[in-house]
Amino acid sequence: MAGVHVYDRFLRQDKLPHIWCSGCGNGIVTNALIRAIEKTGIDQNQIVVVAGVGCSSRANGYLDFCGLHTNHGRPLAYATGVKMANPKLHVIVVTGDGDSASIGGNHFIHACRRNLDITTVIYNNDNYGMTGGQYSPTTPTGAKSKTTVYGNIDTPFDLCKLASAAGATFVARSTVYHVTQLAELIAKGIEHKGFSVIEAMSCCPTLYGRLNKLGDGPAMLQRFKDQAIPVQKARQLSEEELQDKIVTGVFTDRKDRPEYSDQYQHVIARAEGRE
Amino acid sequence: MAGTYEIMTGNEACTRAAIAAGMRFFAGYPITPATEIAEMASELLPKAGGTYMQMEDELASIAAVIGASAAGVKAMTATSGPGVSLMQENLGYAIMAEIPLVLVDCMRQGPCQGVATVPAQGDIMQARWGTNGDHPIIAIAPASVGELYEETIRAFNLAETYRNPVYILSDAMLAHMSERVRIPDPDEYDVVSRKRPTCPPSEFQAYADDGTGIPPMASFGDGYRWFVTGMVHDDTGFPVTNNADRVSYLVKRLHAKIEHNRADIEKYEEYKTDDADILIVSMGVVARSAKAAIDDIRKEGVKAGLFRPITVWPFPESRLETLCRGVKEIVTCEMNEGQLYHMVREVSGNTPVRMINQNNGVILSADTILAGLREGK
């Protein structure tokens, strides 16, 4: 099998086939991630993929890099230690909406604030898929889930706004329909010097889609196509007009904030009296 | 003896010894009475080319420590009982994934926030059983600032040797009191680093037993593309499910790392046990009160002696069991509701055991122990 496809070298063939359901968007996100890594040309041995727990985090096991499959919600905290211990490593975090924004929410905003050079790809499928379809911090208001059978009364996070406000210096969003754009955005995130967040809207036809009568995988992809609106266009629309839209593109791309591990070199220099 | 002598607090001794042992990464979160370790690490580590991180909470602190250790850097965190409670989740990860680290617990009065500024010995069982599932652990309880220095170095060496987290159970008193400490010369002590793989990366199996029970450990970025998980895993490090034999094998191997090496890990002190009729079992700074009480009661003709576990986990039960057979009574002296008492009763046989305890944040004094010993006569 190995060598059949140009991307095969990034996959652990013996761990395939993957466990994701048919129609799940997570394979497409992982595909985009591999394309992005391939594009950057980074040495395979210098990449560490850090994951939490959930459907998203299963991606880690299929990827042939160093892998750190951590506890639920904690990948960014683990990744912080990896990167600070060896800043030469390229650290990529694969996480989900529940992993990053609920149980790991505090780690998420502080990682954004520090601006350490870590690339975070959030597989946002709008629910907890691994545990059977409970609502997450990104489940839309009114939506059904296994724990909002009468409709969700919570207000979801806009993870990109949250990341930008907390200080992340590269923030972007795309969907699993827009796989080329998604790969490009992830590549930009990896090449960006600082903390980058790429929110990948993924689909869960088995749970979220079924419970909300959104159809099968292809139907959910079609929905992403219909919902997506580039950020430049979205800026001309009202909040009301943006209801049910998914704004895609780059929201934040700042070069004005220093990267954290670089800053720490100054701490060392000051401690040694060199600065 | 060579070395130099200095007066310093327990927290300073712990920090400086950690750096002497090779610590180059510290992540923590402020908490009384451990904060000075973080403060000192933030000052001293950059000078040693190391990294200090103040994280957003204790969960993140130990998580960052695990990440740093997996990247090949010796790492430590320091906290107190409430922080240890928050760290339990990721401590379990370090045990399961066999990532070396040192966790300093400056014990304070509990439960919960308790009293932040006063000592206690209430975390003995938290250190043993805090994280979920059956798991091995090493915990060291020094009784003086000098011993804290030496044992911090040993804690790193044990963590590296056995690829298991090692606790240092300090307390609010030991953390903050100043004593004369002998700083050994570097050639006086060993600095042990984890065993590294030597095979070609294509042959590397990150969790395959090499016959010692302790697999060699790669570092991220060194060419071995290994995978680390907190789930039950196979020799390659990848999760396995529905495989009872593998679950059983892995859990047993993890325990065996410690159980089969008790002779190397266990450490205890005996004081006047040769002719003792009463055996006091006490640890940490309280054991110093116990020693003074032993000297006093011996003047009254009562032959008392002390057994002080320095490694509380693994509990040095074999030697203690032997000592228990030769005495008329065993008395535990501790600052909790009987966490040592519980352990001692497991090995005391038919010898009666009682407890002199004080659980109010005030050091259990020699006078109180002496009075307790007299009462029991």
Side-chain angles (χ1 to χ4, degrees):
Chain A
M1 267 176 75
V4 169
H5 193 277
V6 65
Y7 298 137
D8 276 356
R9 67 190 179 96
F10 297 115
L11 291 168
R12 295 182 187 263
Q13 300 294 336
D14 59 326
K15 303 301 172 198
L16 297 171
H18 61 68
I19 63 158
W20 292 313
C21 308
S22 62
C24 173
N26 288 1
I28 302 176
V29 183
T30 307
N31 173 318
L33 174 61
I34 290 171
R35 289 187 193 204
I37 290 170
E38 208 266 341
K39 194 172 171 224
T40 61
I42 297 167
D43 178 358
Q44 201 162 350
N45 286 325
Q46 298 305 310
I47 292 175
V48 183
V49 179
V50 187
V53 165
C55 290
S56 63
S57 302
R58 281 299 170 123
N60 201 0
Y62 309 127
L63 296 167
D64 195 0
F65 307 102
C66 281
L68 186 60
H69 177 223
T70 74
N71 282 333
H72 191 28
R74 317 292 169 225
L76 283 165
Y78 281 71
T80 300
V82 171
K83 182 69 180 176
M84 287 302 287
N86 184 356
K88 283 185 232 150
L89 294 170
H90 294 266
V91 180
I92 297 169
V93 170
V94 291
T95 180
D97 40 314
D99 199 58
S100 67
S102 191
I103 190 166
N106 198 33
H107 308 309
F108 182 66
I109 57 172
H110 286 274
C112 292
R113 176 177 66 83
R114 278 187 203 104
N115 197 33
L116 182 59
D117 188 12
I118 293 170
T119 307
T120 300
V121 180
I122 304 174
Y123 293 52
N124 181 1
N125 64 359
D126 283 336
N127 75 156
Y128 288 89
M130 187 66 81
T131 48
Q134 300 76 29
Y135 80 106
S136 86
T138 60
T139 304
T141 307
K144 298 279 174 64
S145 78
K146 291 282 185 67
T147 46
T148 53
V149 290
Y150 306 111
N152 182 23
I153 59 168
D154 281 24
T155 304
F157 270 135
D158 179 326
L159 294 181
C160 288
K161 282 185 182 166
L162 179 65
S164 296
T169 47
F170 182 86
V171 180
R173 178 191 291 127
S174 189
T175 84
V176 289
Y177 177 82
H178 306 83
V179 62
T180 308
Q181 182 194 35
L182 183 58
E184 281 169 9
L185 293 175
I186 296 172
K188 278 186 183 165
I190 293 170
E191 281 162 354
H192 176 79
K193 179 99 175 152
F195 190 74
S196 54
V197 176
I198 298 92
E199 183 184 12
M201 296 306 299
S202 184
C203 47
C204 178
T206 301
L207 295 160
Y208 183 77
R210 179 168 56 84
L211 294 169
N212 291 282
K213 301 187 168 48
L214 300 176
D216 58 7
M220 290 187 84
L221 285 180
Q222 181 64 44
R223 197 163 168 267
F224 281 147
K225 184 190 176 190
D226 299 340
Q227 285 180 303
I229 177 166
V231 60
Q232 296 82 356
K233 267 194 197 169
R235 287 200 179 110
Q236 291 150 24
L237 300 181
S238 67
E239 282 282 312
E240 229 166 51
E241 289 169 307
L242 286 173
Q243 281 274 314
D244 294 327
K245 294 288 182 198
I246 296 171
V247 185
T248 59
V250 177
F251 301 96
T252 300
D253 188 3
R254 293 169 61 177
K255 312 274 189 243
D256 59 319
R257 291 190 61 216
E259 193 273 333
Y260 194 85
S261 64
D262 274 357
Q263 283 294 95
Y264 198 80
Q265 292 309 307
H266 293 291
V267 171
I268 291 176
R270 275 176 235 144
E272 291 173 346
R274 290 187 281 113
E275 263 185 29
Chain B
M1 274 202 278
T4 55
Y5 290 84
E6 285 186 51
I7 290 174
M8 64 178 78
T9 65
N11 280 347
E12 179 176 358
C14 183
T15 316
R16 288 175 56 179
I19 292 172
M23 172 184 77
R24 291 297 177 270
F25 186 92
F26 179 97
Y29 186 83
I31 185 169
T32 303
T35 309
E36 295 82 7
I37 297 176
E39 290 177 351
M40 205 155 292
S42 77
E43 185 185 341
L44 298 180
L45 269 175
K47 290 181 182 172
T51 303
Y52 166 83
M53 289 288 297
Q54 185 162 307
M55 297 301 288
E56 53 271 21
D57 55 30
E58 285 88 349
L59 291 88
S61 298
I62 189 166
V65 160
I66 295 168
S69 186
V73 176
K74 291 186 190 179
M76 177 173 100
T77 185
T79 185
S80 186
V84 174
S85 298
L86 289 173
M87 290 183 181
Q88 291 299 345
E89 173 203 66
N90 288 324
L91 184 77
Y93 186 95
I95 293 166
M96 188 57 142
E98 301 180 71
I99 309 293
L101 65 87
V102 174
L103 196 179
V104 184
D105 177 1
C106 299
M107 293 185 288
R108 70 190 216 188
Q109 181 67 48
C112 194
Q113 294 171 58
V115 184
T117 52
V118 297
Q121 297 181 324
D123 293 347
I124 299 172
M125 287 300 171
Q126 176 170 231
R128 182 64 197 89
W129 298 116
T131 196
N132 68 300
D134 292 303
H135 53 271
I137 199 70
I138 299 172
I140 303 173
S144 69
V145 177
E147 190 174 63
L148 178 55
Y149 191 101
E150 290 168 16
E151 289 299 314
T152 299
I153 294 175
R154 200 169 77 95
F156 273 92
N157 290 346
L158 291 173
E160 293 287 317
T161 302
Y162 297 108
R163 289 188 62 181
N164 203 77
V166 176
Y167 273 98
I168 294 171
L169 294 178
S170 177
D171 63 64
M173 181 169 178
L174 187 57
H176 288 156
M177 73 179 178
S178 293
E179 286 191 291
R180 189 166 179 261
V181 176
R182 193 181 80 86
I183 310 287
D185 293 331
D187 60 0
E188 285 183 67
Y189 56 89
D190 292 327
V191 170
V192 179
S193 293
R194 63 197 67 166
K195 181 173 56 182
R196 305 262 179 196
T198 52
C199 64
S202 59
E203 290 169 22
F204 183 54
Q205 292 204 306
Y207 289 89
D209 184 359
D210 64 353
T212 66
I214 306 146
M217 182 172 162
S219 301
F220 292 148
D222 66 3
Y224 294 98
R225 286 204 295 273
W226 58 309
F227 189 83
V228 189
T229 180
M231 296 177 74
V232 170
H233 42 274
D234 60 19
D235 278 357
T236 68
F238 282 83
V240 290
T241 47
N242 301 328
N243 185 336
D245 288 345
R246 183 67 197 183
V247 176
S248 179
Y249 163 81
L250 181 60
V251 172
K252 285 193 188 325
R253 181 173 67 72
L254 293 177
H255 279 87
K257 288 196 298 183
I258 309 303
E259 282 303 315
H260 293 175
N261 293 290
R262 276 177 173 266
D264 179 47
I265 301 166
E266 278 184 7
K267 203 170 170 185
Y268 50 83
E269 182 197 4
E270 290 181 35
Y271 181 69
K272 300 187 178 175
T273 52
D274 287 352
D275 62 345
D277 292 324
I278 298 175
L279 182 68
I280 294 178
V281 181
S282 187
M283 62 162 242
V285 290
V286 180
R288 296 165 72 163
S289 299
K291 272 189 188 174
I294 286 165
D295 289 346
D296 286 345
I297 202 135
R298 275 188 174 258
K299 287 173 196 155
E300 297 169 20
V302 178
K303 289 179 187 163
L306 170 74
F307 181 79
R308 176 172 73 92
I310 297 172
T311 48
V312 179
W313 307 117
F315 194 69
E317 55 205 26
S318 176
R319 176 58 186 159
L320 182 59
E321 189 168 15
T322 305
L323 287 175
C324 286
R325 286 202 202 108
V327 297
K328 292 175 184 151
E329 188 187 27
I330 305 156
V331 182
T332 68
C333 298
E334 49 191 321
M335 289 178 60
N336 51 47
E337 295 297 323
Q339 299 189 21
L340 281 178
Y341 175 74
H342 172 75
M343 285 310 297
V344 171
R345 284 201 308 175
E346 287 196 4
V347 295
S348 57
N350 294 324
T351 314
V353 189
R354 68 187 174 98
M355 171 173 68
I356 300 171
N357 75 316
Q358 184 169 293
N359 192 11
N360 60 2
V362 178
I363 283 289
L364 181 54
S365 69
D367 286 348
T368 306
I369 295 171
L370 186 61
L373 291 174
R374 282 177 184 147
E375 259 174 43
K377 270 202 294 185

